[in-house]
Amino acid sequence: MSIKQKDWVWMMFPREPQLGLVLAVREHTVVLRLLAGYRRLHAAREVVAKRMVCKAELSEEEIQQLPCGKRPLLLGRAQQIVAVNRIFPDNDQRKERRVYYCRRCEAFHTTAHFKIPVQILKNLAANPYTPQSPEDYSRGQDRKKVWRWLRTDIGVVVSLRLFDYLLPGYGNDSKRDAVVKILIDPLDYLHYLFLFLYNRRKDHIKNRNIPQH
C-alpha cells in the first residue's frame, strides 16, 4: 500500500475507524489531521504508525465533500493576513496575496497564487498544444510556436522577448526544459508568469514613489 501526502486514510484505532488527511509521510509513521465533523479537520496533528492506517478508497465526488486541508478562516481574518503581507513585503515566508472562498470547507483561505481568468482556463481545456511534428525546444523557432499558442489560442498576451527571457528561471537555466514543463502543466507556468508581472509592477510603483534628490 502506497500512502502519500494529501491522501485520505482510515486510522484503525482506538475504537471505530476515523478518516484523516495525510500531511506528511515518514519511514514508519504518517502525520494526520483527523476529520472533526462536517467540513472541519482537527487543529492538532496525529503521528500514527503506518501499520495502523489504510488508504481510503473514495470517489472524486466523495472527496469533494470533504475539507481541502487548508486552515479555514473568517473573511476578516483572511483579509487581515493579506493586508499585513502587502504592508510588510520583506518577509519571504509571507507570500499570501489573495483571499478566496472554499466551497469544500465553507470558509475562506489565503493563497499566494493569482486568480487565473476563467476564459484562459476554458481556452487551456479546449486547445491543448499539439505539435504537428517533433520539436526541439532548444531551438528558438520551436519555442516561438509554443509562445504563439499561448498568445493566440490561450490568450496569454506577453511579448516573445519576455517569454524567452523568463524561460531560464522557470527551467533551471534550460529554455528547453522550461518549455517542456510549460506543456506538462501550463497552469503552473501561468502562476509563475503572473507572479513575475505582479512583482515587476510592484517594484515599478515603489521606485516611482521614491523621492528624487
Side-chain angles (χ1 to χ4, degrees), residues 25-105:
V25 180
R26 298 168 182 166
E27 185 177 0
H28 300 294
T29 61
V30 292
V31 182
L32 307 175
R33 275 209 177 109
L34 297 176
L35 196 63
Y38 183 65
R39 296 193 186 279
R40 288 290 183 271
L41 292 168
H42 276 293
R45 302 182 178 194
E46 300 280 347
V47 180
V48 183
K50 284 183 177 180
R51 59 186 176 82
M52 302 305 297
V53 301
C54 66
K55 191 170 181 178
E57 299 298 337
L58 304 175
S59 68
E60 185 61 31
E61 183 178 352
E62 289 173 322
I63 290 174
Q64 290 302 316
Q65 300 302 315
L66 296 169
C68 71
K70 294 188 70 173
R71 178 186 175 192
L73 300 166
L74 296 175
L75 176 59
R77 176 56 179 158
Q79 291 175 330
Q80 182 183 38
I81 291 172
V82 171
V84 169
N85 293 346
R86 288 177 177 172
I87 296 171
F88 302 103
D90 54 326
N91 190 336
D92 292 336
Q93 299 303 314
R94 293 177 172 174
K95 298 181 179 179
E96 299 94 334
R97 57 180 57 86
R98 184 169 66 86
V99 175
Y100 69 97
Y101 180 77
C102 178
R103 178 186 57 80
R104 290 173 61 176
C105 297

Side-chain angles (χ1 to χ4, degrees), residues 132-200:
Q132 302 302 313
S133 59
E135 295 179 349
D136 178 5
Y137 300 121
S138 60
R139 299 172 62 238
Q141 184 177 356
D142 286 343
R143 294 198 301 271
K144 188 175 182 179
K145 294 177 183 178
V146 176
W147 165 78
R148 188 178 293 114
W149 165 72
L150 283 170
R151 184 180 180 91
T152 305
D153 297 343
I154 308 303
V156 181
V157 184
V158 295
S159 68
L160 176 60
R161 180 179 179 182
L162 179 60
F163 172 76
D164 221 43
Y165 169 77
L166 292 177
L167 290 179
Y170 189 64
N172 295 323
D173 295 328
S174 169
K175 291 185 178 182
R176 177 192 172 280
D177 290 351
V179 175
V180 171
K181 281 180 62 179
I182 291 172
L183 297 180
I184 292 173
D185 189 353
L187 192 57
D188 181 71
Y189 169 74
L190 292 183
H191 286 302
Y192 172 81
L193 173 64
F194 283 18
L195 177 59
F196 172 83
L197 296 174
Y198 168 83
N199 287 332
R200 186 174 70 169

